[in-house]
Amino acid sequence: MKIFISGPSGVGKSTIINEVMKKNKNIVLSVSYTTRSPRPEEKDGRDYFFVLKQTFEEMTAAHMFLEWACVHNQLYGTSIEWVNEKEDKGFDVLFDIDVQGVAQIREKGVKGCFILVVPPNLDELSKRLAKRGTEAEKDVALRLENARRELSYWKNYDYLVVNDTLKSTITDIESIIRAYQCTKEFSEEKLKWLHEIG
Ligand code: ADP
Ligand code: 5GP
């Protein structure tokens, strides 16, 4: 199962994903490649594979990414090999990728559960980014500027979740994942004998 979560920077994606993963041990978070610098608490290979722009460009030329995009002036991409390896081991994979990446995945017809996390309003988004304090002021401004454009992709998603109260957002996301596991699209593979009936 592939679960895609997008949303503007600071909306709470990482916070939500951490909580969902604590309770769902069969879900792994896709570790993307990026050219951005690590934040103080981030570890190479756990949060991202931090690479030079040249390495990233060599990887795109070698078609090693399922999708890739330039987000907030940095490059980010999902490794095909990494995802295949986890899926072969039987894990469900959760992707924290931006709206351009999801647009590419949609174009390829990849099956999955597509969730957009929306802030209660843009003021609240600005407060959350400031509170996190991981970006310089000019980078915060760029991330806020990009938020409107990112939210304009809402039609590409199956589910829109407003992250107002964290607890209810987590319940919403877990319910969505559970519901997706029962959809015809997802269950069909496991229930092949139903095809023999009709
Ligand atoms: P993202 O991964 O989308 O960039 P983060 O998960 O880093 O966002 O969250 C940004 C900030 O907002 C963090 O300081 C986090 O603790 C806070 N936050 C997340 N969800 C909520 C919420 N529902 N209410 C208030 N603050 C939140
Ligand atoms: P951050 O720098 O805050 O970790 O992430 C910035 C943005 O990049 C977020 O919107 C996140 O969803 C997106 N992102 C992270 N990894 C990938 C990826 O592999 N592909 C794409 N398209 N976006 C990504």
Side-chain angles (χ1 to χ4, degrees):
M1 175 174 63
K2 291 184 175 73
I3 307 149
F4 296 93
I5 297 192
S6 304
S9 183
V11 75
K13 298 180 297 298
S14 307
T15 312
I16 297 163
I17 289 168
N18 280 339
E19 290 302 316
V20 170
M21 287 189 44
K22 271 188 211 160
K23 292 196 236 157
N24 298 274
K25 298 295 177 198
N26 203 48
I27 300 180
V28 291
L29 177 63
S30 169
V31 180
S32 301
Y33 283 75
T34 184
T35 57
R36 97 153 152 69
S37 312
R39 293 176 185 145
E41 76 289 359
E42 286 180 330
K43 275 208 184 92
D44 188 45
R46 183 192 68 185
D47 300 289
Y48 283 105
F49 295 105
F50 296 97
V51 293
L52 296 172
K53 195 168 177 222
Q54 190 189 336
T55 310
F56 194 99
E57 284 168 350
E58 282 165 7
M59 290 180 75
T60 55
H63 307 288
M64 291 170 75
F65 293 124
L66 180 62
E67 61 70 42
W68 68 272
C70 179
V71 190
H72 316 312
N73 292 337
Q74 298 292 340
L75 301 172
Y76 295 83
T78 304
S79 154
I80 296 173
E81 195 185 348
W82 194 98
V83 175
N84 286 347
E85 195 194 300
K86 297 296 173 194
E87 289 193 327
D88 287 349
K89 286 186 180 155
F91 287 107
D92 297 320
V93 185
L94 199 153
F95 301 79
D96 172 351
I97 65 175
D98 92 312
V99 293
Q100 304 169 78
V102 162
Q104 292 170 41
I105 301 271
R106 285 292 211 190
E107 267 169 37
K108 287 184 178 168
V110 173
K111 279 188 185 178
C113 176
F114 293 85
I115 307 170
L116 180 68
V117 183
V118 178
N121 53 62
L122 292 177
D123 273 355
E124 174 62 21
L125 183 67
S126 165
K127 281 186 200 144
R128 287 186 194 172
L129 264 180
K131 185 184 130 204
R132 188 173 72 188
T134 49
E135 271 75 32
E137 220 168 284
K138 73 169 184 7
D139 291 324
V140 170
L142 175 68
R143 283 171 183 244
L144 282 172
E145 207 178 292
N146 288 339
R148 274 179 178 276
R149 187 185 46 76
E150 289 167 332
L151 290 168
S152 75
Y153 281 74
W154 63 271
K155 291 191 184 111
N156 246 348
Y157 293 81
D158 303 318
Y159 298 94
L160 307 178
V161 176
V162 178
N163 181 23
D164 198 342
T165 313
L166 186 60
K167 199 163 166 245
S168 66
T169 301
I170 290 158
T171 307
D172 287 350
I173 303 261
E174 285 175 340
S175 308
I176 289 168
I177 294 172
R178 187 71 202 111
Y180 176 68
Q181 287 168 335
C182 299
T183 55
K184 181 173 64 182
E185 177 188 82
F186 183 74
S187 309
E188 195 183 25
E189 295 267 305
K190 288 183 294 178
L191 298 172
K192 290 224 165 76
W193 58 271
L194 280 180
H195 284 277
E196 289 161 22
I197 296 176

